Amino acid sequence: MNFLRALLHLAGIFLTAYILTAEIAQAAGVHNKKQKIAQFLDKENHTNNWAVLVCTSRFWFNYRHIANTLSMYRTVKRMGIPDSHIILMLADDMACNPRNCHPATVFDHPQKTTDLYGDNVEVDYRGYEVTVENFIRLLTGRVEAQTPRNKRLLSDDKSNVFIYMTGHGGEDFLKFQDAEEVNSYDIADAMQQMWEKKRYREILFMIDTCQANTMYSKFYSPNVLSIGSSDKGENSYSYFYDHDIGVSVIDRFTYYNLDFFESVDMSSRHTMADLISTYNTSLIHSNPGVRTDLYARELQKTYLTDFFGAVQEVELTAEPFPIGRKQATV
């Protein structure tokens, strides 16, 4: 009898231990799943991309600067960045200029195969709204309270921000509408404010203008990769003269960037190193520059889609995760 009681007591102990072990294993499994999902959602601390595309020139003879910007706009949209994450600043409206013999269109090639203006362009800042003050306010988030959403850069510390600028410039400055200038110190300080206010994770700064490489020479904020079209003392040259409208329709540096991007899509594994390796000074007619000392990652491991696309990564799991539902309140 005592033996039977001892046996039953021992069996109870084993059963209790088994149940406790199972509960601990289940709790650990749920915790691991939660941890895995949290790590996935926070993967590389990068969740969204933004593009700020700026043409600072007005007047008909600067048609190519508008075409530069619209061409870049078309590229980032094609690769997945939605209009809600693109800030487009155009200092003039070439599509409606009375000198335009092809009204309501803008082309970047004399063959006129692609209308860059089309019926799906959302211009956020136009004409006299494109000022140095508005540009700096946009970057730093110091906009007026009544500023609409489409005129705000709503980035955060998980955002990669692509900034593209084109226009007429010189050593350490870029002209805005032949009326004012932004200098390299202004942009450098604006980027530092962005970093301190957690408005970006990484920045790709690309500029196409004369002596473009001097515009990023004063940068000092972390995680900024900079690319320019021409060195100090050099011009940035136009390309493709269109005899119909009497002006050049694109700049060389921007054209060869876009030419490479035509072979790239949202699923591409091309890297920034691949893009930069295509720069040919004999074709561009100037010496493009790349500044990497502020940038933490290797260019060979930085995918173009990290800045130019909006590819969402999806992880498949063998078992469903019980997220649960909150009860509706009346």
Side-chain angles (χ1 to χ4, degrees):
M1 191 68 176
N2 292 334
F3 174 75
L4 182 59
R5 287 178 180 175
L7 187 61
L8 289 174
H9 180 70
L10 187 60
I13 292 175
F14 279 116
L15 180 60
T16 302
Y18 174 78
I19 293 173
L20 288 174
T21 302
E23 290 179 349
I24 292 172
Q26 183 179 10
V30 171
H31 175 74
N32 289 338
K33 287 181 179 179
K34 289 182 177 179
Q35 189 176 37
K36 189 175 182 181
I37 287 179
Q39 290 173 349
F40 171 69
L41 293 177
D42 196 43
K43 189 175 183 180
E44 296 183 353
N45 202 31
H46 176 209
T47 62
N48 60 93
N49 288 345
W50 285 79
V52 179
L53 312 176
V54 187
C55 169
T56 65
S57 298
R58 60 185 303 108
F59 307 124
W60 178 249
F61 56 83
N62 292 320
Y63 180 104
R64 67 187 183 278
H65 295 155
I66 296 287
N68 287 347
T69 313
L70 287 174
S71 297
M72 198 63 71
Y73 171 80
R74 172 181 173 270
T75 296
V76 296
K77 281 191 68 174
R78 179 178 61 81
M79 293 184 64
I81 300 183
D83 268 313
S84 60
H85 281 213
I86 302 174
I87 308 297
L88 180 59
M89 307 180 77
L90 299 182
D92 207 342
D93 188 356
M94 297 305 172
C96 298
N97 191 295
R99 296 186 182 183
N100 191 347
C101 58
H102 304 282
T105 62
V106 174
F107 299 98
D108 60 359
H109 197 284
Q111 294 180 357
K112 301 177 179 61
T113 54
T114 303
D115 178 12
L116 302 174
Y117 208 75
D119 56 358
N120 194 28
V121 173
E122 295 185 16
V123 183
D124 302 295
Y125 290 80
R126 64 173 68 243
Y128 291 111
E129 294 179 327
V130 182
T131 64
V132 172
E133 179 181 355
N134 283 342
F135 174 64
I136 298 298
R137 285 184 177 275
L138 172 72
L139 295 183
T140 60
R142 299 176 180 272
V143 296
E144 300 292 337
Q146 66 272 20
T147 303
R149 188 188 186 284
N150 70 304
K151 294 179 182 289
R152 295 173 182 260
L153 177 63
L154 301 176
S155 55
D156 55 36
D157 59 347
K158 296 185 179 182
S159 304
N160 280 4
V161 182
F162 169 49
I163 301 174
Y164 172 84
M165 304 186 75
T166 185
H168 289 291
E171 184 179 350
D172 286 312
F173 74 89
L174 179 67
K175 292 197 295 185
F176 271 64
Q177 308 203 37
D178 282 340
E180 55 180 346
E181 300 169 355
V182 65
N183 62 52
S184 55
Y185 295 93
D186 296 329
I187 301 179
D189 291 343
M191 287 186 179
Q192 182 60 21
Q193 287 188 52
M194 292 178 70
W195 176 253
E196 292 173 354
K197 297 169 71 174
K198 298 183 178 181
R199 291 178 57 78
Y200 76 87
R201 171 182 175 266
E202 293 179 340
I203 287 178
L204 171 60
F205 179 79
M206 180 180 287
I207 183 166
D208 189 350
T209 185
C210 297
Q211 306 189 65
N213 300 348
T214 63
M215 285 300 293
Y216 55 70
S217 61
K218 305 303 184 293
F219 290 178
Y220 56 92
S221 304
N223 297 347
V224 178
L225 173 62
S226 304
I227 301 176
S229 62
S230 53
D231 213 346
K232 180 179 176 179
E234 293 182 340
N235 293 325
S236 182
Y237 291 94
S238 61
Y239 201 27
F240 290 139
Y241 185 85
D242 188 332
H243 292 276
D244 285 349
I245 60 177
V247 292
S248 297
V249 292
I250 198 169
D251 281 318
R252 286 179 173 271
F253 175 73
T254 296
Y255 171 79
Y256 283 108
N257 276 284
L258 296 170
D259 186 53
F260 179 81
F261 274 112
E262 286 302 311
S263 62
V264 176
D265 58 26
M266 289 185 286
S267 62
S268 172
R269 306 307 285 175
H270 283 299
T271 66
M272 290 301 303
D274 295 330
L275 171 65
I276 293 168
S277 67
T278 65
Y279 292 166
N280 187 331
T281 56
S282 64
L283 296 176
I284 298 174
H285 292 181
S286 59
N287 289 283
V290 181
R291 183 178 176 186
T292 61
D293 61 302
L294 299 173
Y295 192 66
R297 292 196 290 156
E298 297 179 17
L299 298 187
Q300 294 84 354
K301 298 179 180 179
T302 304
Y303 296 112
L304 292 176
T305 50
D306 288 347
F307 289 100
F308 292 89
V311 178
Q312 300 294 323
E313 295 191 39
V314 177
E315 182 174 287
L316 300 178
T317 59
E319 300 176 1
F321 181 79
I323 297 176
R325 296 181 180 179
K326 292 183 178 180
Q327 296 294 327
T329 57
V330 179

